[in-house]
Amino acid sequence: MLQSLSPAQKLQLCQAVEYALEIPEISVRVKQLYEEIQQQVKLKNPRCDRSGRCCRFEEYGHRLFVTTVELAAFFGHAKSGLFSTPRTINEGCPYQVDRLCTVHSYRPFGCRIFFCDPTATDWQQEQYEHFHLQLKQIHTDFNVPYMYVEWRQALRALFNR
Ligand code: SF4
């Protein structure tokens, strides 16, 4: 069971995301990084059974964490009306519907790099660290407070759910 964000942490996160939203280059950099990740994953060609289990966090036994700049990019798309805000946030990812991701083009880094294919374990960790460092660098480059927050906690804070 994850500890909820305190009101102070929620405020800090919302302020950091709002700040990042004011800088359009951040969204561009995040998008470029996602494209690079996509290329690397394509080279590795991991198996995906499309069971959707990895998005049902409790069932799978893992959690998705996101950074401030990713949240800003995602929240910016939501504000533009590219997808709707979740009505409820309970077990699993609120964006999974009928085993499919309804925000596939905008999904965070963790969703792009994780595959349950057991042969992917070795390179996943290495690539995660590599790209996570690049995400951190975006924070540094634009003076955005770096936060690393569980996905649903972040969504709750940003969407006030
Ligand atoms: S954003 Fe999409 S891929 Fe990521 S956990 Fe949610 S439903 Fe799954």
Side-chain angles (χ1 to χ4, degrees), residues 30-47:
V30 169
K31 187 169 182 273
Q32 283 170 347
L33 194 62
Y34 285 171
E35 284 167 2
E36 277 179 50
I37 295 163
Q38 208 61 37
Q39 283 169 14
Q40 284 304 312
V41 169
K42 207 171 166 188
L43 288 174
K44 303 291 183 187
N45 196 23
R47 198 187 82 225

Side-chain angles (χ1 to χ4, degrees), residues 55 57 93 95-96 101 103 107-108 111:
C55 311
F57 309 124
C93 179
Y95 290 107
Q96 191 192 53
C101 176
V103 290
R107 70 198 190 285
C111 309

Side-chain angles (χ1 to χ4, degrees), residues 2-161:
L2 281 169
Q3 209 177 351
S4 297
L5 294 180
S6 69
Q9 287 170 320
K10 282 184 188 172
L11 181 63
Q12 193 186 0
L13 179 67
C14 291
Q15 285 176 339
V17 168
E18 286 293 339
Y19 173 78
L21 270 169
E22 297 294 316
I23 307 169
E25 294 97 314
I26 289 180
S27 185
V28 174
R29 287 274 299 274
V30 169
K31 187 169 182 273
Q32 283 170 347
L33 194 62
Y34 285 171
E35 284 167 2
E36 277 179 50
I37 295 163
Q38 208 61 37
Q39 283 169 14
Q40 284 304 312
V41 169
K42 207 171 166 188
L43 288 174
K44 303 291 183 187
N45 196 23
R47 198 187 82 225
C48 175
D49 297 334
R50 303 194 190 284
S51 67
R53 276 185 67 224
C54 55
C55 311
R56 300 194 291 275
F57 309 124
E58 282 72 20
E59 181 183 324
Y60 201 85
H62 69 172
R63 296 293 182 267
L64 169 64
F65 281 76
V66 287
T67 58
T68 316
V69 292
E70 290 178 275
L71 286 166
F74 187 84
F75 196 51
H77 294 316
K79 280 178 84 169
S80 307
L82 290 170
F83 48 84
S84 54
T85 58
R87 285 198 187 149
T88 53
I89 302 172
N90 296 312
E91 289 204 349
C93 179
Y95 290 107
Q96 191 192 53
V97 178
D98 296 333
R99 297 196 308 176
L100 295 176
C101 176
T102 56
V103 290
H104 192 259
S105 303
Y106 315 104
R107 70 198 190 285
F109 160 56
C111 309
R112 293 167 191 265
I113 204 89
F114 181 79
F115 290 83
C116 60
D117 180 349
T119 66
T121 311
D122 289 347
W123 63 261
Q124 268 175 355
Q125 190 58 31
E126 190 185 292
Q127 294 292 324
Y128 192 95
E129 284 166 20
H130 170 74
F131 285 113
H132 191 211
L133 274 180
Q134 293 194 34
L135 276 171
K136 275 186 164 174
Q137 188 61 45
I138 300 176
H139 294 76
T140 307
D141 291 348
F142 294 97
N143 206 21
V144 174
Y146 168 80
M147 295 181 77
Y148 188 61
V149 186
E150 195 269 335
W151 178 230
R152 288 165 300 177
Q153 304 271 9
L155 294 176
R156 283 191 190 111
L158 294 175
F159 294 122
N160 199 20
R161 291 287 191 274

